[in-house]
Amino acid sequence: MTTRRFNHVIFADDFFRSAANGLPYYAANRRFLRGFFDSTLGRLGLPVREMAPLEGGGRIDVARLMARLDLPATPAGWARACIADLLPVHGREGMPAFDPGCLVIGWGLTPALQHCVARSGASYLDIEIDPRRFTEHLHFCARTNDPVIAAALQARRIDEEVFWNHAAALKGHFARHGAPALFDPRLRVGLFFGQSLVDLSLVSGGRTMHPASVVAPLRELARSVDLLVIKPHPYEPALHDLAPIARAIPNVAWTGENTYALLSAANVHFAASLSSSVLTEARYFRKPAHALIRADRNAAGQLPVACSPWIPVGPELGAMDFMSAICGIAVTADAAPRHVAAWPAAAIDRAFMTRWGFDDQSRGLHDVAELQLSRPYLFHPGSPAAGWLSHGWSPPDAEGAKSAGELACLVIPLPSLAETLSHQQPHRLEVRIDYRSNARTTSVHAMFDGTVLPGSCTTGARRRSLVFEVQPTAGRKCLVLQFVVADAADVGKGRRTAAQPVFTLRKMQVSLRTARGVVSMPPAVSSAQWSEMRPVRALARVLRALRDSARGVTG
């Protein structure tokens, strides 16, 4: 004899995130749920269906629902719909009517949808990928408004020590296979993690938040470190959302290093973000985490009172024993106990085919060489200068380092200047960079300490030199340069060319100067020092350096 708690199951997702609101709609997560649970639910005799917008093959007319809710059909309207009262549109415009015999299995259900289901007397099981993604296999996390389902989830909860153990193993890996610190061990570093531009976790108070809105608290955090390093989201190519941080905070750099290698670095003192899941992971690497917004999706005041916390579980949610337990299909006393077989441990990995930063083959952080004053550096494979390419560069080749994208960054550890700057005579650092653009119209703007540097000196149609001065201080430990790359012909016309503007970084030299000329601080001349340079040009550069030094002394 069995007692069914549910008579049908509905698979759901955030259908308001649709083309009707000017947003991309992804049906893959909902379809995954249908495929994942279909076999078990079918064997239990439970009918299933999906709720989806028109463009997702469903019947929900999102545009008409937005009008009924008196919300604009825009991304801003979507953010407000995440916490709106949906009960008035319950069962209208293709949206199903929930009832006490309904179980809603959802992927990333908004607070509004959770309230709508709960107030209708139905139960929901909200599922996502657990944010702690550094384990050997991915896990689910789930929450529910149903006490029976919550108890079944708790019975299968993953032991907290599993996450601590995997984080410790990763830290050991990166300690053995990478530099122990980011850029330079003398630097105190803070990390800021970017997110996708459209993300439910960015909605706060029914509004989508952006980095520009948290500059003030982030600036306070940046004051506690030497360098605030931005790590863009690996699947978000657009950087314009992060640009206000680089403009407003002087001590900013960028990096493309592995997330878990960054969290393992000894000189990283905190991790910050609007609300990235990396903040959950940072705790297991013993890094203080700072969430700069309060996301509605996890805010207690926005969720149903009966909503459980997120519970980490394995892929066995789809197993017969779990589903029969939550659906109330009990085994009679005279029936044989149901056999519980192991669920494939890599089931979620195979379905999603990505690990979001986990890579046990990663070599960890790169070693970064300290700059030697007055020494010219070429950017080619094996050169010490190649380690300064922190973000936005293709791997260097014989021609140099090519920019990749709209922003590129250099982080260059400086030698200690305390002894040299103790003299009474004023000093300055002169930085000279030679580069080549791929087109006459390619525009390259260099930024230092949040300020755009003066224009470059043109030495040819596509060959240019950028020369500027930096006021040195005894406490300055590194030189951070950001390059913004654009097509000058299209900047004022609002159009984009087919070819991506690119420039190639070829050579760089930093010299310490006084009012009387160059302070000579080069290393001893050796074949190794010039090995990175072409032999014919090497001698010419030596002669020019001597000539410039002589002019500075006599002038």
Side-chain angles (χ1 to χ4, degrees), residues 287-353:
K287 304 296 183 186
H290 301 273
L292 301 179
I293 67 169
R294 186 169 176 263
D296 291 339
R297 67 190 302 272
N298 290 325
Q302 299 289 2
L303 297 171
V305 174
C307 183
S308 70
W310 287 108
I311 301 170
V313 289
E316 62 272 10
L317 285 189
M320 179 63 77
D321 67 311
F322 176 79
M323 293 307 300
S324 60
I326 70 171
C327 292
I329 302 177
V331 179
T332 59
D334 57 344
R338 190 181 300 278
H339 175 67
V340 179
W343 192 269
I348 308 174
D349 305 357
R350 290 203 302 267
F352 286 83
M353 298 176 65

Side-chain angles (χ1 to χ4, degrees), residues 394-410:
S394 299
D397 55 27
E399 295 298 318
K402 293 181 175 61
S403 62
E406 59 192 17
L407 185 141
C409 181
L410 288 177

Side-chain angles (χ1 to χ4, degrees), residues 374-421:
S374 300
R375 172 183 174 178
Y377 290 89
L378 290 181
F379 290 85
H380 67 61
S383 165
W388 303 337
L389 307 171
S390 67
H391 179 269
W393 305 96
S394 299
D397 55 27
E399 295 298 318
K402 293 181 175 61
S403 62
E406 59 192 17
L407 185 141
C409 181
L410 288 177
V411 178
I412 308 162
L414 293 174
S416 176
L417 302 174
E419 294 182 5
T420 306
L421 300 180

Side-chain angles (χ1 to χ4, degrees), residues 39-323:
S39 176
T40 301
L41 293 175
R43 292 161 64 196
L44 291 173
L46 283 172
V48 301
R49 62 187 172 118
E50 301 176 48
M51 54 186 290
L54 295 174
E55 71 264 32
R59 298 188 301 170
I60 301 176
D61 191 329
V62 174
R64 295 173 71 93
L65 279 179
M66 295 296 287
R68 285 185 177 274
L69 293 168
D70 197 24
L71 294 175
T74 63
W78 162 76
R80 290 168 61 185
C82 290
I83 59 170
D85 181 6
L86 302 183
L87 218 52
V89 297
H90 183 231
R92 296 176 179 267
E93 309 302 345
M95 183 175 172
F98 308 113
D99 58 71
C102 172
L103 170 63
V104 176
I105 301 180
W107 188 277
L109 296 179
T110 65
L113 284 169
Q114 292 178 56
H115 273 292
C116 186
V117 173
R119 291 171 183 169
S120 302
S123 299
Y124 64 79
L125 173 61
D126 190 22
I127 300 173
E128 289 189 2
I129 299 295
D130 190 89
R132 291 158 289 195
R133 296 166 182 166
F134 50 77
T135 50
E136 183 180 7
H137 298 294
L138 293 173
H139 300 95
F140 287 131
C141 61
R143 58 185 175 182
T144 181
N145 67 324
D146 187 303
V148 174
I149 300 177
L153 291 171
Q154 286 288 1
R156 293 159 178 81
R157 185 186 188 100
I158 295 173
D159 191 334
E160 180 76 358
E161 288 301 311
V162 169
F163 300 110
W164 283 105
N165 293 345
H166 278 84
L170 264 182
K171 290 176 68 175
H173 167 78
F174 289 122
R176 186 176 178 87
H177 299 288
L182 179 61
F183 300 138
D184 189 322
R186 297 173 301 167
L187 294 171
R188 290 175 53 88
V189 173
L191 299 174
F192 180 83
F193 290 91
Q195 296 174 248
S196 298
L197 296 181
V198 181
D199 190 336
L200 180 59
S201 64
L202 292 179
V203 177
S204 179
R207 296 175 52 213
T208 300
M209 306 301 287
H210 300 276
S213 60
V214 298
V215 165
L218 191 56
R219 186 186 291 117
E220 286 301 311
L221 285 172
R223 286 174 179 158
S224 67
V225 292
D226 299 307
L227 209 58
L228 178 68
V229 179
I230 301 174
K231 163 70 173 177
H233 193 281
Y235 302 136
E236 182 53 74
L239 301 178
H240 63 270
D241 217 40
L242 298 170
I245 298 175
R247 289 195 297 266
I249 301 176
N251 57 326
V252 163
W254 302 69
T255 186
E257 295 279 14
N258 178 277
T259 294
Y260 303 121
L262 292 170
L263 292 176
S264 299
N267 63 336
V268 167
H269 289 263
F270 67 79
S273 181
L274 291 176
S275 61
S276 172
S277 60
V278 176
L279 300 182
T280 301
E281 298 177 299
R283 169 175 172 252
Y284 298 90
F285 292 82
R286 301 182 63 204
K287 304 296 183 186
H290 301 273
L292 301 179
I293 67 169
R294 186 169 176 263
D296 291 339
R297 67 190 302 272
N298 290 325
Q302 299 289 2
L303 297 171
V305 174
C307 183
S308 70
W310 287 108
I311 301 170
V313 289
E316 62 272 10
L317 285 189
M320 179 63 77
D321 67 311
F322 176 79
M323 293 307 300

